[in-house]
Amino acid sequence: MRIVIAGAGIGGLTAALSLHAAGFEDVTVHEAAPEIRPLGVGINLLPHAVRELTELGLADRLAEIGVATAELAYFNRYGTPIWSEPRGLAAGYAWPQYSVHRGRLQMLLLEAVVDRLGPDAVRAGSRITGPGSEDLLIGADGIHSAVRAHLYPGEGPPPWNGLVLWRGVTYGEPFLTGRSMIMAGDGTQKFVAYPIETGDRTLINWIAERPLDGDASDRGNWNRPADLAEIGRHFAGWHFDWLDVPGIIAGAETAYEYPMVDRDPLPRWTFGNVTLLGDAAHAMYPIGSNGASQAIIDARVLAYALARGDLAAYEETRRPATTALQLSNREMGPEIVMKLAHERAPGGFDDIEQVIPHTERAEIAASYKRTAGFDPASLNERPSWSVDRSAAS
């Protein structure tokens, strides 16, 4: 079976590794960019994605390049705690959660593909726009997918919700546990920070978010340079006892601007010998740290389904799940606790229990885990998607 993958991002490269592990030998990845470079800033790999990469034999490499996240904590815009929870192994998962530089993860996956599938398995400067002579074409070519456009011509640019994200990295002092991921805000303006390197120095990945004055240009481009002084002006008063937000922003060498866009859920991913994967299938708001993780899961389920000769099972399993997640992210997912805290106590609070009771906060967190597929008990008990290589056809 000859399989062509459009896109050498995290989803496309994981698909190549998954298909090879399932016994498919004729797999090539085509990347439109003339060179594959380690672009981007930090991302999170949730335990359900770490499980899949572990089963692909990448656990040790992940541990080398990532920071094992210890906790996730939400605060209001004054730095007062709203909710916190352990993450990874400390939360009862059988696998850790990692914060990692996106480019380093992509290079790790690229090296594994070249090592296992051969030096000709990944072809840069090769743009795929539609099906050819292959037995299966997998469109893993991102939010501006040419393969998706072939299936759904005239869809237009991704819809924008009026918010802008500014992203950067800054060397700074450790905060809270030293491996904490924090979000502070009020439902409209937000600051996110977490370490992606620790040791002699801590490299902090940060995201600043607020409504954008005017229209958004270059939607879906993660690499548009931004003005650090402008970003800092919007967060000038955000000095917490445990984190200096303006100082973190000012300490970056550069930052990138990204209008918050996604794609509308599709009624169908697969047409004949063409299917979609990752952002090409279900680009979603970067809420809940799920974009890369869901692409990795897509890749594993696709290989599992193909090894059993049942391509339809891939979409039957993944499309309803990712549609629910896309819609949840449009409603702020677990981050809605910041909005609720602001609406109920806009001037701040002394006792969060009087604002959002623990039972309500706990259910918001648990509900999102169920929607996104990383409820601890369900994930730990779920059968593996690894397959016997001899099962592939």
Side-chain angles (χ1 to χ4, degrees), residues 298-343:
D298 286 351
R300 292 280 287 165
V301 175
L302 176 58
Y304 182 87
L306 285 176
R308 282 156 174 71
D310 188 6
L311 175 59
Y314 161 61
E315 183 172 337
E316 291 168 3
T317 300
R318 295 298 297 149
R319 189 170 58 80
T322 55
T323 294
L325 190 55
Q326 285 178 286
L327 298 177
S328 176
N329 282 8
R330 286 183 172 180
E331 298 299 321
M332 297 185 67
E335 298 176 18
I336 198 169
V337 293
M338 294 183 290
K339 180 174 185 285
L340 294 175
H342 178 71
E343 290 175 345

Side-chain angles (χ1 to χ4, degrees), residues 32 48 56 64 111 215 218 228 248-249 289 308 312 332 355:
H48 53 346
L56 286 171
E64 291 173 359
E111 290 168 8
D215 194 15
D218 218 6
L228 286 168
I248 292 292
I249 294 170
S289 308
R308 282 156 174 71
M332 297 185 67
V355 181

Side-chain angles (χ1 to χ4, degrees), residues 4-19:
V4 169
I5 301 169
I10 291 168
L13 293 171
T14 304
L17 292 171
S18 300
L19 291 163

Side-chain angles (χ1 to χ4, degrees), residues 253-336:
E253 291 187 3
T254 188
Y256 302 97
E257 179 179 287
Y258 182 79
M260 189 181 281
V261 296
D262 66 357
R263 285 289 189 186
D264 291 329
L266 291 175
R268 183 177 175 186
W269 291 356
T270 305
F271 294 80
N273 68 331
V274 182
T275 195
L276 301 174
L277 181 151
D279 280 356
H282 50 71
M284 59 188 68
Y285 292 157
I287 302 289
S289 308
N290 256 287
S293 293
Q294 294 298 321
I296 289 167
I297 295 165
D298 286 351
R300 292 280 287 165
V301 175
L302 176 58
Y304 182 87
L306 285 176
R308 282 156 174 71
D310 188 6
L311 175 59
Y314 161 61
E315 183 172 337
E316 291 168 3
T317 300
R318 295 298 297 149
R319 189 170 58 80
T322 55
T323 294
L325 190 55
Q326 285 178 286
L327 298 177
S328 176
N329 282 8
R330 286 183 172 180
E331 298 299 321
M332 297 185 67
E335 298 176 18
I336 198 169

Side-chain angles (χ1 to χ4, degrees), residues 341-364:
H342 178 71
E343 290 175 345
R344 298 176 189 180
F349 51 84
D350 294 322
D351 182 4
I352 185 60
E353 188 66 20
Q354 302 302 314
V355 181
I356 313 175
H358 182 273
T359 52
E360 184 179 359
R361 287 173 284 149
E363 177 53 28
I364 288 170

Side-chain angles (χ1 to χ4, degrees), residues 3-20 27-31 36 43 45 49 52-53 56 58 102 105-110 113 117 122 138-143 275-282 290-303 314 318:
I3 302 174
V4 169
I5 301 169
I10 291 168
L13 293 171
T14 304
L17 292 171
S18 300
L19 291 163
H20 178 263
V27 179
T28 55
V29 183
H30 295 253
E31 171 56 48
I36 301 173
I43 60 171
L45 291 177
E52 302 313 322
L53 295 179
L56 286 171
L58 300 173
R102 182 199 174 279
L105 174 63
Q106 185 181 15
M107 293 301 104
L108 183 159
L109 296 171
L110 177 62
V113 170
L117 280 73
V122 181
I138 302 169
D141 47 344
I143 194 168
T275 195
L276 301 174
L277 181 151
D279 280 356
H282 50 71
N290 256 287
S293 293
Q294 294 298 321
I296 289 167
I297 295 165
D298 286 351
R300 292 280 287 165
V301 175
L302 176 58
Y314 161 61
R318 295 298 297 149

